[in-house]
Amino acid sequence: MPLIVQKFGGTSVADAGRIENVAGIISDTYAKGNNVVVVVSAQGDTTDDLIAKAEEINPEASRREMDMLMAAGEQISASLMAMALQRRGVPAVSMLGWQAGVETDSNYSNARIKRIHTERIERELSGNRVVIVAGFQGINKYDDITTLGRGGSDTSAVALAASLHADLCQIYTDVDGVYTADPRICPDAVKLDEITYDEMLELAALGANVLHHRSVELAKKYNVDLEVISSLTKVPGTKVKETVKMEKMLVRGVTRDNDTARIALVGVPDEPGIAFKIFSLIASKKIEVDIILQSIGRDGTKDISFTVHCGDLKTALQLLEENKDRINAKSVTYDDNISKVSIVGAGMATNSGIAAKMFEAMYSAGINIKMINTSEIKVSVLIDRADAEAAVRAVHEAFFPKD
Ligand code: ASP
Ligand code: MG
């Protein structure tokens, strides 16, 4: 029997009506003769609401207790979903992460799945039951509950699909697939039929809020056939896989990411070891650095600037302040009113005109570029946040002209 893993996000299970709707999708899949493993997220804003409750009681709550709290949301969805299926006469059983054998490391609130002990799930499947697993959670070696980072239910689903050798992993959400740009910013955006793992990884990292980044990493590593699809409409979604028909499309999507801030160290000594000092300091606090730019040295000094996530800005600035004698910058400035706009496409690696075309579109829209970063399959620019949406539209129009 084919095995399908279906994951339903928070909006897809937000209330009784939505749960009924999803139960319909699951029972159809089951009735067609598939084994079905379902992964659910917490209903609607439940996880945010739980976090708000913790903040009222103790803003400094330990991450262990936060995980204990946050994991509760998925428990509710899983049991309700099993009840909805049972009422329809579909045999179903709900499980928490630990019951489903999801073993993680002990990095509370951002744990990684180490392995999944699938015996229990397999037993239930061979008894012809639909297995509903609470997403986003697991258990560590101390028998503590852990969670996988916000949006982590996608990763639960892909990890289960990989461990169970599922034939397909469907991620049901409130959008009907992956678009060439966020349709809320760019009404001309079109849905992609397929996209490669690598492109999806870049899009996920660069601000397309469709899939949890780690879920795509896992899908690529274990070659899981993945599909992003809407639970609300009956249209085909987007397939994520190793290779896709290249078509004429060199660029697959345009993204905007507001979670970026730039730090500039002006006038640091132009001597060996400076970059090492700065970035080993930053790394010591596990702060992720994205774009790095160093100017040409003049009069014995140079400038180094780099970007971090907004949430890390304060810590990074503090760190630089505490170590200013070692770094010796004339001044340290920052800008958190910026956005990163990127284009992604596996086809651009061999096409040198792509970056120029992007820059031309920005220039025509009168938008100033502050920093540039490229890789084989992406070009990112840093611009004023006020220009970000106009930039997405201009760049999208350049690569996906309306005709
Ligand atoms: N409920 C968790 C969150 O909101 C996990 C998820 O939705 O995937 O982050
Ligand atoms: Mg959620």
Side-chain angles (χ1 to χ4, degrees):
M1 257 212 248
L3 170 62
I4 301 187
V5 174
Q6 300 185 314
K7 181 258 170 179
F8 298 92
T11 29
S12 300
V13 297
D15 53 35
R18 293 278 171 86
I19 288 186
E20 269 309 309
N21 169 55
V22 166
I25 297 175
I26 298 168
S27 55
D28 285 351
T29 313
Y30 178 77
K32 283 187 188 132
N34 297 295
N35 278 317
V36 190
V37 172
V38 173
V39 174
V40 284
S41 293
Q43 293 183 282
D45 295 330
T46 303
T47 311
D48 292 322
D49 296 344
L50 291 171
I51 294 171
K53 278 187 205 293
E55 244 139 48
E56 269 175 16
I57 306 256
N58 180 357
E60 312 276 287
S62 72
R63 293 198 293 157
R64 181 196 181 276
E65 297 309 329
M66 286 307 291
D67 282 5
M68 191 69 180
L69 177 69
M70 287 192 289
E74 274 69 14
Q75 176 162 1
I76 296 172
S77 310
S79 52
L80 292 175
M81 191 59 72
M83 292 175 200
L85 287 164
Q86 288 164 2
R87 207 188 52 115
R88 287 169 177 257
V90 178
V93 55
S94 64
M95 285 182 207
L96 296 178
W98 66 269
Q99 293 170 301
V102 181
E103 183 189 325
T104 73
D105 65 16
S106 293
N107 190 9
Y108 295 101
S109 293
N110 201 19
R112 268 176 192 267
I113 297 177
K114 289 171 74 172
R115 57 173 295 199
I116 301 184
H117 306 266
T118 53
E119 300 79 11
R120 171 81 193 269
I121 296 182
E122 271 157 17
R123 211 163 57 235
E124 301 292 350
L125 289 176
S126 51
N128 265 323
R129 279 177 285 277
V130 172
V131 178
I132 317 281
V133 181
F136 177 54
Q137 56 175 269
I139 190 168
N140 68 10
K141 63 178 178 205
Y142 309 112
D143 285 349
D144 279 344
I145 306 289
T146 53
T147 66
L148 308 179
R150 296 306 306 272
S153 300
D154 293 343
T155 298
S156 308
V158 173
L160 280 164
S163 309
L164 294 162
H165 307 286
D167 298 278
L168 177 64
C169 181
Q170 295 180 310
I171 307 286
Y172 282 88
T173 168
D174 53 345
V175 294
D176 52 8
V178 182
Y179 276 74
T180 50
D182 184 340
R184 283 165 301 191
I185 299 178
C186 189
D188 298 329
V190 293
K191 190 175 70 193
L192 298 162
D193 295 332
E194 20 179 57
I195 184 168
T196 66
Y197 294 126
D198 287 328
E199 290 169 328
M200 193 62 235
L201 271 175
E202 288 287 4
L203 288 179
L206 294 169
N209 274 326
V210 205
L211 285 175
H212 195 228
H213 188 261
R214 208 174 288 154
S215 73
V216 190
E217 270 170 22
L218 276 183
K220 177 178 160 71
K221 187 162 169 200
Y222 296 103
N223 215 344
V224 174
D225 266 329
L226 203 61
E227 185 178 7
V228 180
I229 186 170
S230 166
S231 63
L232 307 171
T233 61
K234 289 231 179 287
V235 296
T238 301
K239 297 221 156 69
V240 190
K241 41 199 226 183
E242 187 58 43
T243 51
V244 305
K245 304 186 287 301
M246 274 316 293
E247 302 162 18
K248 297 183 299 264
M249 229 187 248
L250 293 168
V251 169
R252 197 75 65 181
V254 185
T255 60
R256 171 205 59 178
D257 184 2
N258 285 345
D259 182 17
T260 187
R262 177 176 64 164
I263 296 176
L265 296 131
V266 182
V268 292
D270 187 13
E271 62 191 31
I274 282 291
F276 168 63
K277 270 188 212 158
I278 296 169
F279 292 108
S280 54
L281 261 179
I282 297 290
S284 71
K285 291 277 185 216
K286 293 210 161 41
I287 295 174
E288 219 176 278
V289 170
D290 184 27
I291 309 179
I292 299 177
L293 195 77
Q294 176 177 311
S295 71
I296 292 179
R298 68 194 120 66
D299 307 328
T301 69
K302 63 191 173 191
D303 308 333
I304 294 181
S305 44
F306 58 95
T307 63
V308 296
H309 292 298
C310 292
D312 290 331
L313 178 63
K314 216 171 112 198
T315 318
L317 289 172
Q318 246 164 21
L319 212 57
L320 294 171
E321 172 63 26
E322 282 159 18
N323 291 278
K324 61 176 181 224
D325 296 343
R326 287 177 57 207
I327 296 168
N328 249 318
K330 292 215 173 76
S331 68
V332 177
T333 60
Y334 71 91
D335 184 353
D336 56 359
N337 232 323
I338 51 173
S339 293
K340 183 167 63 179
V341 169
S342 314
I343 53 173
V344 171
M348 71 170 71
T350 50
N351 192 312
S352 59
I354 296 283
K357 191 164 172 176
M358 179 184 193
F359 303 153
E360 183 192 10
M362 315 259 319
Y363 164 67
S364 306
I367 295 167
N368 187 36
I369 298 173
K370 299 175 171 230
M371 273 169 123
I372 299 172
N373 189 26
T374 65
S375 81
E376 287 243 296
I377 68 165
K378 72 146 197 260
V379 181
S380 297
V381 297
L382 221 59
I383 58 175
D384 277 332
R385 191 164 299 169
D387 293 333
E389 301 200 348
V392 169
R393 286 188 285 268
V395 173
H396 189 273
E397 172 66 29
F399 289 101
F400 304 94
K402 289 183 284 236
D403 46 20

